[in-house]
Amino acid sequence: MRLRGKMLGAALVTGAVLALAASTAFADNGTFSGSFTPTSCGQFQPIQVAAGETTINVVATANVPSNDIVLELHRPQGNVLAAADSGTSPEQLNYSRADLQPGTYYARVCPFSDPAVPLQEPMDYTGTWATRSGPAVGFPVNDTGGAGGAQSARYVGGKLLFSPATVIDPQRTEGEPLNFIDTKTGYWETGPWGTSTQNSFIHRSDDGGLSFHIVSPVGLRSDVPLGGGDTDLVADDQGYIYFTDLEGLVNLGNSVSNDGGNTFRKNPAAIANAGVDRQWYAIDNGTTAKATDNTVFLGVREAGVGIKIYSTPGSTGATDPVGGLVFREASAASPLPVADDTTCGQMRFDKVKRNLYYPCAQSDRVRVTIGHVAPGQRTGIAFHNVLLPPSPGGGPVGDIFPALATDAGGNVYAAWIDETDHNVYYTASTNQGSTWTKPIRVNAGPAVTNVFVWAHAGASGSLALAWLGTNEPGNPNEFPNWADDPQGATAVKWHGYVAVITKATAKGPTIAQQPFTEKPMNYGQICTGGIGCTTGGDRTMADYFAVSIDGNGALRFVYNDTTSQHHGAHLFEVRQLIGKTLAGGNVNRPLPTNPASDPTGDARWPHYSPTGAGTNVPQLDLTGVQLSSPDASTLRVRMSVSSLASLAPPTGKTSAAWITRFLALSQGDSGEEAYRIFDVGVESTAGGAPVFWAGTTSCTDSTPGTCKVVNYPKQNAVPGHRDGNAWVVDVPLSAFGSPVGPTLYSVTGLTFGRNADTDIYADVDAAQAFDYARG
């Protein structure tokens, strides 16, 4: 999530926006005043910058509730240089550049488009401006990392095999998924449901990513509200889980689980500064296997102030009131920020060189904040900033977050997307960020226009970059919006791409690019303007997706697919099955095929609760899912379970349901191309006679067109019967109500408990996904 100060356009903040130390002296200054309306900005207020001056400070105060204003700084030509909307009073920004050109600049006060309290006229403001030579006092200097010699990459097609997409959550949509794979506790995923819901979710897989369950006994968030904003999750070498959530765009709540997700202890205001935005974790597991030398770092943007890094000791157990819950500033220069205010990607801790790296976008290049961390050190860290070589595309670094990764040799990689040419670039450093190789373009056709780059490294010199790409040239923000023009949007098809780069630090790297999604996963516009996209832009994809590697070094992706008839952010996972791994080995895993088997004993309800996992529910314990085609117009679905001696629902629900779902090329609700979600189901209420149905899903929206909860209604009655411990359902294709394409994607067997079709279901069991070609 990006704060509302970014709503005025992509790459709006191209310079430094920060609060000045009180002792800063200015050479020139002036005052201004004016008025604005709820729908229009105030007058342009001139600011004179003399030759040799490098810093502009602007402060404005308005007579509106909560100081709900946007303060802008414009170039002489009129375009926006920087903006601030931190929700504080007075609103303040500082712009500092060594190459600041003399001339007349302009300040402007504008209304926030969705204020907390409705704005009423008259709305007057007063302000001051000042200029000086030299950077803001006390901030780390931005060193320029030199670029190495010319590089010439070799581009080849990727040869990895990926799995059919696993359904992480068959009901809840979720933006901005992150994955973290822990050898002790399994595979974790987290993401926000939106501040309007006050919910963010955690999912966990204990079977290597073949199935996931929500970490909650009630189907909602894992810790108590508030929440719903940016999230992150890490696990330490003790198997303790750390979870952070942006709560109401006001503060960061942080939680710790010492029992694998059954319970969480929470500090709801661990970071309580106003205007916090997009926090990231990084874990330092220390140099021993003990809990006492673990540290959790948390980097956060504090709008209008700058970038700050906090730290907390690793938890020592369920009675520890500090570890993971109480944070202190990590910088030796605190309370000053470690860098000026901008958009930053996920922090990474390099355990080889013991450096903490924090990548941020700064105009046409990436800026990396670097701090060396001694064993056991949590505070007093001396950070410095390095400016990487300019982006070859000439435009600002953007299309959301820059990415950074470190490999097993301590090499560092930074990657970004240029907002002018929308290409993916990367650069490498072999000396802890002091110098960097000349940036090189990564993507090749058909990935012409790209967004959302993410990085992960493995063995020395091995790097994987993942992003979303389309073969349509243009600006992602200007493609047709699905909500306004679904037919036009489907002409722009996005896929997930990955490039595995070998010899990534050398002058002649090899880049092997291929899609990791087997079908389009989004149509049309991807708005990259943050919360501002909620007015007139399609932000269903939110701001990013993620890639990680498992214990074998194989690639694991979590991402959203919005191509259903609901255009919701449906949550999926894809894993590498065959090919060389980033860790330097090979993986050879079987491709899931029809029929799919499922182990017994994993149909527990609840899966997570303060008293631990519930008992297995045999009647909902899937053992297999099989599809067949008795004839060209019929689909037969067979769902086998451990025992059908009882049809009783799980605890707390009135009905038991057995459902197989899949996606197939079809039509959306407006006749546009869509990969509809189809379902075939069996339901027994209070242990009674089963009913059989087939159809397509519905969705509960939070606002019109914003799909939040996918429902599986008992739509069209179809023939079915019991065969031993299996349900067999014969579905005429016409019963689905919409055309069904020849390939059924992500066929997944599920068992639920529910009180109604539109209930939040008890997710009891799930079988691994496979694809099926009809006939």
Side-chain angles (χ1 to χ4, degrees):
M1 184 174 296
R2 299 171 75 184
L3 275 179
R4 57 193 185 190
K6 296 295 180 73
M7 64 174 293
L8 300 177
L12 190 100
V13 180
T14 56
V17 185
L18 57 144
L20 282 180
S23 61
T24 302
F26 289 88
D28 300 295
N29 58 78
T31 63
F32 58 87
S33 62
S35 62
F36 60 102
T37 74
T39 58
S40 62
C41 299
Q43 301 88 342
F44 284 99
Q45 306 288 348
I47 297 171
Q48 302 301 325
V49 175
E53 293 180 330
T54 57
T55 297
I56 304 172
N57 175 245
V58 187
V59 180
T61 303
N63 64 334
V64 297
S66 304
N67 198 53
D68 247 339
I69 61 173
V70 178
L71 177 60
E72 300 176 350
L73 179 66
H74 288 249
R75 297 179 188 269
Q77 296 85 356
N79 54 318
V80 179
L81 268 177
D85 178 23
S86 61
T88 61
S89 184
E91 196 71 66
Q92 181 173 218
L93 65 80
N94 184 76
Y95 185 78
S96 181
R97 286 189 67 93
D99 58 352
L100 189 65
Q101 297 299 307
T104 304
Y105 291 72
Y106 299 91
R108 187 168 69 159
V109 175
C110 297
F112 177 52
S113 64
D114 187 19
V117 179
L119 302 178
Q120 296 182 358
E121 298 186 66
M123 296 183 296
D124 301 320
Y125 63 84
T126 59
T128 62
W129 62 267
T131 61
R132 72 181 298 272
S133 298
V137 173
F139 286 88
V141 174
N142 290 332
D143 300 322
T144 300
Q151 286 185 296
S152 178
R154 185 169 71 98
Y155 296 87
V156 300
K159 297 180 180 180
L160 307 180
L161 177 67
F162 297 108
S163 68
T166 295
V167 179
I168 293 180
D169 194 319
Q171 272 210 290
R172 302 153 196 81
T173 60
E174 180 193 291
E176 302 179 350
L178 286 168
N179 54 355
F180 191 95
I181 301 173
D182 175 46
T183 57
K184 290 181 178 290
T185 58
Y187 192 154
W188 299 81
E189 183 280 332
T190 183
W193 210 29
T195 54
S196 62
T197 69
Q198 297 298 306
N199 269 273
S200 295
F201 300 131
I202 299 173
H203 297 89
R204 179 183 170 188
S205 172
D206 56 10
D207 60 6
L210 301 182
S211 63
F212 290 80
H213 295 285
I214 188 168
V215 182
S216 166
V218 294
L220 296 173
R221 64 179 298 121
S222 302
D223 55 5
V224 295
L226 303 170
D230 302 318
T231 68
D232 201 356
L233 180 148
V234 293
D236 67 15
D237 59 4
Q238 309 301 304
Y240 298 153
I241 308 303
Y242 305 88
F243 173 66
T244 178
D245 196 353
L246 177 60
E247 309 204 343
L249 303 179
V250 175
N251 56 268
L252 301 178
N254 285 265
S255 301
V256 178
S257 176
N258 301 100
D259 54 13
N262 285 312
T263 59
F264 282 82
R265 296 175 295 115
K266 180 175 182 178
N267 179 355
I271 309 295
N273 299 37
V276 291
D277 181 38
R278 190 53 273 175
Q279 75 281 18
W280 304 104
Y281 273 144
I283 186 77
D284 171 13
N285 280 316
T287 56
T288 74
K290 298 179 181 179
T292 52
D293 64 355
N294 292 345
T295 303
V296 180
F297 292 102
L298 187 149
V300 61
R301 172 188 175 226
E302 295 183 7
V305 175
I307 306 304
K308 289 199 172 185
I309 298 176
Y310 296 84
S311 68
T312 181
S315 178
T316 58
T319 60
D320 181 359
V322 176
L325 300 172
V326 178
F327 288 77
R328 299 174 60 189
E329 290 199 39
S331 172
S334 67
L336 291 173
V338 298
D340 50 10
D341 182 13
T342 185
T343 301
C344 299
Q346 190 178 53
M347 285 196 309
R348 297 293 174 90
F349 178 75
D350 172 29
K351 62 182 180 181
V352 178
K353 304 296 185 180
R354 297 201 55 82
N355 289 325
L356 187 64
Y357 297 98
Y358 200 177
C360 302
Q362 182 152 320
S363 190
D364 63 345
R365 62 191 70 200
V366 173
R367 180 193 71 207
V368 180
T369 298
I370 306 172
H372 182 72
V373 183
Q377 185 180 15
R378 301 186 178 104
T379 60
I381 300 170
F383 290 99
H384 69 281
N385 299 314
V386 174
L387 292 177
L388 276 55
S391 179
V397 168
D399 286 334
I400 313 296
F401 303 107
L404 187 142
T406 64
D407 67 23
N411 302 307
V412 191
Y413 308 93
W416 65 92
I417 293 175
D418 189 295
E419 286 193 343
T420 296
D421 62 14
H422 305 288
N423 285 325
V424 182
Y425 295 95
Y426 92 97
T427 179
S429 174
T430 59
N431 54 12
Q432 304 178 58
S434 295
T435 60
W436 296 79
T437 58
K438 183 178 179 180
I440 192 165
R441 176 180 54 83
V442 177
N443 60 293
V448 175
T449 302
N450 308 280
V451 296
F452 295 3
V453 68
W454 200 264
H456 210 94
S460 182
S462 295
L463 172 67
L465 299 178
W467 68 91
L468 307 184
T470 177
N471 62 356
E472 294 292 330
N475 186 331
N477 295 275
E478 297 174 357
F479 290 138
N481 186 335
W482 181 88
D484 301 328
D485 182 10
Q487 298 284 357
T490 56
V492 182
K493 296 175 172 59
W494 295 86
H495 287 79
Y497 284 91
V498 62
V500 176
I501 306 172
T502 53
K503 299 181 180 179
T505 63
K507 292 184 178 181
T510 297
I511 301 176
Q513 173 187 301
Q514 66 182 99
F516 66 82
T517 57
E518 57 184 349
K519 53 173 283 299
M521 38 69 63
N522 185 68
Y523 294 124
Q525 182 190 96
I526 297 179
C527 185
T528 62
I531 289 181
C533 298
T534 56
T535 303
D538 187 350
R539 198 174 177 241
T540 309
M541 292 297 296
D543 291 347
Y544 58 82
F545 72 103
V547 59
S548 188
I549 59 174
D550 60 25
N552 294 317
L555 295 166
R556 311 299 291 258
F557 306 86
V558 290
Y559 68 98
N560 293 127
D561 185 316
T562 69
T563 61
S564 78
Q565 69 272 32
H566 313 304
H567 194 65
H570 307 293
L571 194 57
F572 290 89
E573 196 265 359
V574 163
R575 62 192 180 279
Q576 179 186 347
L577 297 177
I578 295 176
K580 293 182 179 180
T581 69
L582 279 189
N586 287 274
V587 65
N588 188 5
R589 294 165 173 161
L591 176 70
T593 56
N594 178 51
S597 62
D598 191 69
T600 59
D602 61 344
R604 300 180 299 273
W605 180 253
H607 286 273
Y608 304 93
S609 78
T611 57
T615 58
N616 189 62
V617 185
Q619 61 271 32
L620 297 176
D621 186 4
L622 288 167
T623 60
V625 176
Q626 182 176 18
L627 300 189
S628 59
S629 300
D631 56 59
S633 61
T634 304
L635 179 69
R636 176 172 291 166
V637 178
R638 181 183 183 91
M639 292 178 279
S640 303
V641 297
S642 291
S643 173
L644 287 177
S646 169
L647 302 184
T651 302
K653 301 296 182 180
T654 58
S655 299
W658 300 258
I659 294 174
T660 293
R661 57 160 274 174
F662 57 86
L663 291 83
L665 182 60
S666 183
Q667 292 180 348
D669 295 339
S670 299
E672 78 280 9
E673 176 182 301
Y675 286 81
R676 292 188 76 95
I677 305 174
F678 295 101
D679 62 302
V680 177
V682 185
E683 181 170 298
S684 168
T685 300
V691 296
F692 303 87
W693 81 89
T696 187
T697 55
S698 64
C699 196
T700 301
D701 296 348
S702 60
T703 57
T706 305
C707 173
K708 288 293 186 180
V709 181
V710 177
N711 309 302
Y712 299 80
K714 297 181 291 293
Q715 199 168 46
N716 300 312
V718 295
H721 66 278
R722 174 179 168 180
D723 180 15
N725 287 322
W727 300 115
V728 179
V729 188
D730 283 338
V731 184
L733 294 182
S734 59
F736 288 114
S738 296
V740 179
T743 301
L744 312 186
Y745 295 96
S746 300
V747 179
T748 305
L750 304 159
T751 59
F752 294 132
R754 63 185 187 181
N755 296 324
D757 290 355
T758 56
D759 190 21
I760 295 290
Y761 306 162
D763 63 329
V764 181
D765 200 7
Q768 67 173 316
F770 62 91
D771 295 340
Y772 176 73
R774 288 195 296 108

